[in-house]
């Protein structure tokens, strides 16, 4: 017999006894109670049941951030289907691939995009396309309104697929990382204990909800603790600081912190109600960590994770008994492997290295994903023979346990917390008339941490940012497009003919900072 391992049930059991209490304070002065969450997720889950979809159907969702979008996520888990969130910046060229690859049974998009999304969906055999806006409009809620307000959660086991998150591939197209109910439950429970969630905690939710940071780490953290959220459909530094008089926990990528640091309203007084600031998804400069502490008196807790593994390491929230009771949140590091996570730093032969030596980071644990959707060979390549997942990050672990990320073996740019794979952008650029070849690199950027720069060899007249923008409009999300295009007569190559990206990064290092 299957033991019920549906993560939705864990969240349901964590709801406070007073169901009338606020669960989410949303934009526009709307308050949702726990009862509202319970009933709305039941109605949406009943709608999914009513569609009589095969077990484990993918529900692909590309909608603007809203509380109802969270309800749809929770309802998908509740009904035992698989949630597939898609970045709202993705264009038709990208969405077409995801729909073809994931073969969802249902697609939910914003009413404004219904025309092109439904066309792509129907072309890919999707039978049902609903709409959902960020102000509670659309056919999804219209259909759900007639559904019963109670629902018995589907019984699933820990290995049942819960969510697919697409991560771009270094070679070829994006890969769908498959996360199970067991993966997300174990990580959420670990973080609840490790970050010392308190009965009076209130989370300020400012991140997008199509990636693991905003969707899992933030929402699961609050809900598994029965804590309410102050909800921001879009991050705004000034409003986020205003919310700190009522909130206690904030989670962000480094760009959110640097933008708030530029606000005169960020002070010890305006943050005195806050208990915890968490940063991750991209490296935080030690300088930003220090500036934040100087401005607010709070040491940001930096942690490290991935779509494939959810959270892997974290600086301590309070003294960590496993590491000599250290409590320091050390800037420039990502802290200790989380309880239950085994982390090793290895050489090129997968042999563990001594403390302080730099090598590839590999991990194992109940949080590590099931594999890439319908890519068994890719999955096999990313695991060692003894079952460790190769993160593609390069780092070191100090003798006292602190892990630092010093680089990446994967060719990846992280811009404002979004991943951009140079290869994908180069392929699109090379298709353009007027471009002979291109090299895409990440250059330090004061706002986004790293920004995408294209160095290209034109066949004739120079190619401008505007040319690229116009040509790639429906093929590539804006955040992946180059912020600057540099025309050169030739690309530097080594003796093997490989483009020397390190040389290019050095040459153009000051593009945004000088
Ligand atoms: C927006 N733009 C970006 C960008 N975000 N360009 C580069 N990098 C980004 N991250 C561009 C838009 O294309 C647009 O360009 C212009 O900026 C304004 O768009 P916007 O939507 O108004 O931007 P803004 O709201 O200011 O967004 C910035 C941001 C956002 C930092 C708030 O990028 C963001 O929310 N980032 C967080 C990403 C995240 O949650 N990552 C977690 C991944 S999970 P133009 O030219 O059209 O004007 C993960 C695992 C882990 O990594 O460990 O957590
Ligand atoms: P994603 O594929 O979007 O899940 O991005 C995961 C990648 O983000 C990791 O492999 C790291 O390269 C990077 N990352 C996440 N957190 C951190 C951090 N705190 N410091 C440095 N890099 C990070």
């Amino acid at each position: 017999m299957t033991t019920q391992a549906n993560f939705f049930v864990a969240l349901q059991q964590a709801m406070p006894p007073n169901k009338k209490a606020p669960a989410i304070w949303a934009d526009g002065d709307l308050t949702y109670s726990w009862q509202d969450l319970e009933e709305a997720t039941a109605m949406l889950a009943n709608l999914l049941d009513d569609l009589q979809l095969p077990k484990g159907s993918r529900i692909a969702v590309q909608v603007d951030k809203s509380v109802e979008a969270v309800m749809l996520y929770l309802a998908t888990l509740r009904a035992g289907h698989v949630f597939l969130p898609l970045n709202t910046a993705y264009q038709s060229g990208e969405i077409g691939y995801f729909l073809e690859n994931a073969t969802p049974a249902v697609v939910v998009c914003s009413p404004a995009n219904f025309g092109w999304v439904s066309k792509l969906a129907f072309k890919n055999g999707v039978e049902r396309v609903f709409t959902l806006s960020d102000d509670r409009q659309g056919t999804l809620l219209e259909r759900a309104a007639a559904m019963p307000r109670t629902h018995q959660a589907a019984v699933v086991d820990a290995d049942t697929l819960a969510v697919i998150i697409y991560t771009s591939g270094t070679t070829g197209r994006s890969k769908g990382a498959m996360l199970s109910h067991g993966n997300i439950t174990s990580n959420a429970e670990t973080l609840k204990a490790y970050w010392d969630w308190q009965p009076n905690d209130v989370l300020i939710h400012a991140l997008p909800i199509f990636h693991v940071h905003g969707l899992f780490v933030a929402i699961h953290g609050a809900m598994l603790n029965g804590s309410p959220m102050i909800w921001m459909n879009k991050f705004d530094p000034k409003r986020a600081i205003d919310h700190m008089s009522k909130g206690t926990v904030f989670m962000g990528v480094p760009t959110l912190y640097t933008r708030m640091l530029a606000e005169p309203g960020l002070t010890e007084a305006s943050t005195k109600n806050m208990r915890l600031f968490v940063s991750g998804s991209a490296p935080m400069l030690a300088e930003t960590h220090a500036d934040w502490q100087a401005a607010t008196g709070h040491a940001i807790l930096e942690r490290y994770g991935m779509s494939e593994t959810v959270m892997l390491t974290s600086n301590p929230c309070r003294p960590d008994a496993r590491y000599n009771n250290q409590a320091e949140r050390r800037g420039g590091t990502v802290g200790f492997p989380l309880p239950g996570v085994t982390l090793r730093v290895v050489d090129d032969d997968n042999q563990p290295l001594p403390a302080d030596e730099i090598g590839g980071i590999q991990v194992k644990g109940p949080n590590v994903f099931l594999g890439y959707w319908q890519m068994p060979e890719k999955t096999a390549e990313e695991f060692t023979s003894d079952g460790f997942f190769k993160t593609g990050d390069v780092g070191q672990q100090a003798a006292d346990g602190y892990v630092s990320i010093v680089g990446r073996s994967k060719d990846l740019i992280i811009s404002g917390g979004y991943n951009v794979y140079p290869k994908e952008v180069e392929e699109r650029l090379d298709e353009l008339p007027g471009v002979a070849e291109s090299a895409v690199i990440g250059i330090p950027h004061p706002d986004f941490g790293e920004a995408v720069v294209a160095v290209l060899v034109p066949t004739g007249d120079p190619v401008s940012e505007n040319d690229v923008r116009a040509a790639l409009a429906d093929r590539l999300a804006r955040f992946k497009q180059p912020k600057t295009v540099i025309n050169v007569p030739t690309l530097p190559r080594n003796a093997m003919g490989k483009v020397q990206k390190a040389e290019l990064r050095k040459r153009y290092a000051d593009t945004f900072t000088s």
Side-chain angles (χ1 to χ4, degrees), residues 187 190-191 194-195 212 217 302-315 320 322-323 334-344 361-369 388-393 397 401 403 405 410:
N187 209 240
T190 299
L191 291 178
Y194 201 72
W195 290 348
V212 301
V217 188
E302 185 168 0
R303 91 309 179 271
Y304 155 61
M306 294 182 75
S307 302
E308 287 93 335
T309 62
V310 205
M311 295 303 103
L312 290 166
T313 73
S314 171
N315 270 281
D320 189 320
R322 300 166 311 146
Y323 291 94
V334 292
F336 310 126
L338 284 165
V341 174
T342 309
L343 179 145
R344 67 186 188 189
I361 295 180
Q362 300 185 342
V363 294
K364 206 184 225 184
N367 49 313
V368 175
F369 73 143
F388 277 81
F389 174 64
K390 304 172 193 169
T391 62
D393 291 307
Q397 186 168 23
V403 175
I405 312 287
K410 49 194 175 191

Side-chain angles (χ1 to χ4, degrees), residues 23-26 202-206 228-232 243 246-247:
I24 303 181
W25 290 284
V202 175
L203 174 80
I204 301 169
H205 195 296
M229 291 186 259
I230 299 173
W231 190 258
M232 303 178 76
H243 287 321
K246 297 203 178 65

Side-chain angles (χ1 to χ4, degrees), residues 9-255:
V9 174
L11 295 179
Q12 214 173 15
Q13 286 168 352
M15 288 184 185
N18 175 11
K19 299 280 184 301
K20 293 273 177 342
I24 303 181
W25 290 284
D27 284 336
D29 283 340
L30 263 183
T31 302
Y32 296 75
S33 66
W34 294 96
Q35 185 75 32
D36 293 333
L37 289 192
E38 171 63 37
E39 290 183 4
T41 54
M43 290 157 86
L44 287 163
N46 281 317
L47 170 60
L48 294 175
D49 285 356
D50 205 47
L51 299 175
Q52 300 192 329
L53 309 172
K55 244 182 160 174
S57 289
R58 274 78 57 214
I59 313 297
V61 180
Q62 190 197 31
V63 297
D64 291 320
K65 183 176 173 183
S66 69
V67 174
E68 286 69 26
V70 177
M71 291 174 173
L72 175 58
Y73 162 56
L74 299 173
T76 303
L77 298 185
R78 190 170 186 167
H81 293 299
V82 179
F83 192 69
L84 197 174
L86 294 166
N87 193 322
T88 44
Y90 291 152
Q91 300 298 314
S92 55
E94 293 153 310
I95 296 291
Y97 166 76
F98 295 126
L99 300 186
E100 189 188 329
N101 188 256
T103 58
V106 175
V107 169
V108 184
C109 66
S110 71
N113 293 344
F114 180 77
W116 66 266
V117 174
S118 60
K119 215 159 123 190
L120 278 174
F122 296 141
K123 193 176 133 202
N124 284 290
V126 179
E127 286 178 18
R128 291 160 185 105
V129 181
F130 295 103
T131 58
L132 174 64
S133 73
D134 61 1
D135 59 355
R136 302 180 308 287
Q137 302 300 312
T139 54
L140 183 80
L141 299 181
E142 282 166 21
R143 280 288 302 274
M147 294 291 153
R149 289 164 189 266
T150 57
H151 178 273
Q152 193 67 39
V155 177
V156 302
D157 62 30
D159 286 335
T160 302
L161 184 55
V163 180
I164 297 180
I165 309 249
Y166 273 88
T167 71
S168 297
T170 339
T171 52
R173 302 305 297 255
S174 292
K175 302 166 289 188
M178 299 190 289
L179 292 147
S180 66
H181 283 264
N183 291 148
I184 59 180
T185 305
S186 74
N187 209 240
E189 280 171 352
T190 299
L191 291 178
K192 177 174 186 273
Y194 201 72
W195 290 348
D196 217 8
W197 278 88
Q198 298 292 311
N200 62 348
D201 269 332
V202 175
L203 174 80
I204 301 169
H205 195 296
L207 285 164
I209 54 170
F210 38 70
H211 284 308
V212 301
H213 199 163
L215 185 65
F216 292 170
V217 188
I219 294 176
H220 294 176
M223 289 192 70
L224 199 59
N225 196 51
S227 293
M229 291 186 259
I230 299 173
W231 190 258
M232 303 178 76
N233 276 358
K234 190 168 163 53
F235 171 70
D236 172 80
K238 205 167 165 310
R239 282 179 47 234
I241 295 167
D242 288 347
H243 287 321
M244 288 176 193
S245 60
K246 297 203 178 65
T248 63
V249 179
F250 182 89
M251 299 190 189
V253 300
T255 301

Side-chain angles (χ1 to χ4, degrees), residues 446-460:
D447 186 29
F448 293 123
E450 279 184 292
V452 177
V453 168
V455 184
L456 53 82
V457 180
T459 51

